[in-house]
Amino acid sequence: MLDSLITSKTRLKLLIKFFVSASNRGYLRGIAEEFNESTNAIRKELNQLTDAGYLIREDGEQKVYYRANAEHALFGSLQGLIHHFLGIDQVIEQVLERAGDVEQVVLFGDYAVGVNSGHIEVLVTGKNIDSAYLLQAAGKAEKLLNKKVSLYLEVPEQLKTKIILYQKDSL
């Protein structure tokens, strides 16, 4: 659905990366390596999204970082659209309500790099996690979304690119 509306695969990957969680950020070379694309293609899209106000550019000591502009009028709408596209909006709410003391929910695998492969991989960490409930929820999510859902309670070896969907506030 969203990939037919946004025809640039690079732009779609960037929107997913930055709008799935407002805390996500990245820099040009890192994103290019993560997406396995040229820095020129990434630079072009980052500049266009920044010029439109969707992304904020932050100068670091040696790198320029980008992140979603949470103050943009369309931020909430874009984030909701991305969550709906990925099919994770409903699943996350249920997990946080009933799975125990969840500290972090992380999306990784194909969807973390913006590839709609039909296989959603999610890592849930925390204390006193109800693994039976999570496995049941993953099964329901598979049927609801018509996508394969793999749930991990420990950090897998192949965890390379990740997007934090939820991070418990450490107060």
Side-chain angles (χ1 to χ4, degrees), residues 30-114:
I31 296 169
E33 289 175 12
E34 182 179 316
F35 292 169
N36 196 24
E37 293 198 29
S38 74
T39 54
N40 286 339
I42 300 294
R43 179 183 296 111
K44 176 185 169 192
E45 295 295 343
L46 287 172
N47 287 339
Q48 289 178 350
L49 291 169
T50 302
D51 290 345
Y54 296 116
L55 297 181
I56 293 174
R57 178 186 164 126
E58 300 172 327
D59 293 324
E61 287 186 28
Q62 296 182 0
K63 297 175 184 163
V64 176
Y65 288 92
Y66 295 87
R67 64 178 174 84
N69 181 1
E71 303 299 317
H72 193 280
L74 294 177
F75 174 79
S77 298
L78 278 170
Q79 190 174 47
L81 190 62
I82 295 298
H83 285 183
H84 184 73
F85 170 69
L86 296 176
I88 56 174
D89 49 348
Q90 298 168 335
V91 175
I92 296 298
E93 286 179 31
Q94 289 180 346
V95 165
L96 294 177
E97 287 176 9
R98 300 181 56 195
D101 187 13
V102 176
E103 292 176 4
Q104 192 176 59
V105 179
V106 176
L107 178 70
F108 67 100
D110 291 343
Y111 280 91
V113 294

Side-chain angles (χ1 to χ4, degrees), residues 80-170:
L81 190 62
I82 295 298
H83 285 183
H84 184 73
F85 170 69
L86 296 176
I88 56 174
D89 49 348
Q90 298 168 335
V91 175
I92 296 298
E93 286 179 31
Q94 289 180 346
V95 165
L96 294 177
E97 287 176 9
R98 300 181 56 195
D101 187 13
V102 176
E103 292 176 4
Q104 192 176 59
V105 179
V106 176
L107 178 70
F108 67 100
D110 291 343
Y111 280 91
V113 294
V115 176
N116 185 7
S117 68
H119 184 200
I120 299 172
E121 295 178 271
V122 179
L123 168 66
V124 179
T125 60
K127 297 175 185 153
N128 302 319
I129 298 294
D130 185 348
S131 58
Y133 168 74
L134 286 177
L135 291 172
Q136 180 184 18
K140 287 181 181 178
E142 282 185 349
K143 291 176 185 165
L144 179 70
L145 303 171
N146 198 24
K147 297 178 182 179
K148 180 172 174 32
V149 177
S150 295
L151 179 70
Y152 298 82
L153 300 176
E154 294 180 11
V155 179
E157 287 181 28
Q158 75 270 21
L159 184 65
K160 183 177 172 184
T161 301
K162 65 180 182 177
I163 295 176
I164 299 171
L165 301 173
Y166 169 79
Q167 178 80 42
K168 184 176 182 177
D169 292 333
S170 54

Side-chain angles (χ1 to χ4, degrees), residues 16-30:
I16 290 171
K17 176 175 182 61
F18 292 117
F19 284 89
V20 81
S21 173
S23 64
N24 290 340
R25 63 183 213 148
Y27 62 95
L28 177 63
R29 286 197 185 277

